[in-house]
Amino acid sequence: MIRPSLVRSSVLRMVRPQIFQQRRALSTPNSSLRADLVQDLYLREIRAYKPPPLKPSDSDGHVQKFTAPKAPQSPDEGDIAQDLKAYENQQVELEGQAASGESGAAEESWFEEEEDDDEPAAAAH
């Protein structure tokens, strides 16, 4: 006698792959057909698009007209010679040295020492 569970399992083994293949065969073409349909519509619209022709006046509102800048004015030649002479006659001032006719001021110490609060307490002991 053949057991019913054995018969059922053998039948299911034979039927399951066929059901799975049928489901897969039914679902795959539909999704690929939909993708092809959308892709075909998209490509057809892209191919049919014709951009509007460009006119020379299209850039009028977006681009400024070019105007050359003014030429710089040249300096007066007589003033340059006098300024150069005054520069050459000027005395050189060095930091830390007193200028002629001035007494050298003593440098001020900017370092401030902090007072220790511990010293009076240490002296009290």
Side-chain angles (χ1 to χ4, degrees), residues 42-121:
Y42 180 73
L43 290 174
R44 184 176 59 202
E45 290 299 318
I46 287 179
R47 289 182 188 126
Y49 177 75
K50 302 291 184 211
L54 295 176
K55 295 178 258 173
S57 63
D58 285 346
S59 65
D60 285 344
H62 304 287
V63 180
Q64 294 180 354
K65 300 290 182 190
F66 176 75
T67 55
K70 291 192 281 183
Q73 297 178 359
S74 64
D76 190 16
E77 298 294 328
D79 290 339
I80 291 177
Q82 290 175 358
D83 290 343
L84 183 60
K85 194 175 219 181
Y87 177 73
E88 288 175 352
N89 293 336
Q90 190 178 21
Q91 285 187 343
V92 178
E93 295 178 12
L94 298 176
E95 189 176 326
Q97 292 182 358
S100 62
E102 295 179 10
S103 61
E107 284 192 28
E108 196 176 319
S109 175
W110 292 92
F111 181 71
E112 296 180 7
E113 293 183 20
E114 294 182 17
E115 295 179 11
D116 292 333
D117 294 335
D118 297 337
E119 288 181 13

Side-chain angles (χ1 to χ4, degrees), residues 13-43:
R13 271 191 232 133
M14 296 174 80
V15 173
R16 273 190 189 159
Q18 292 175 356
I19 293 172
F20 181 70
Q21 287 176 354
Q22 287 176 352
R23 282 185 193 164
R24 184 175 172 118
L26 292 176
S27 64
T28 304
N30 287 342
S31 62
S32 66
L33 287 176
R34 277 189 223 139
D36 289 341
L37 178 65
V38 171
Q39 183 177 7
D40 291 340
L41 287 171
Y42 180 73
L43 290 174

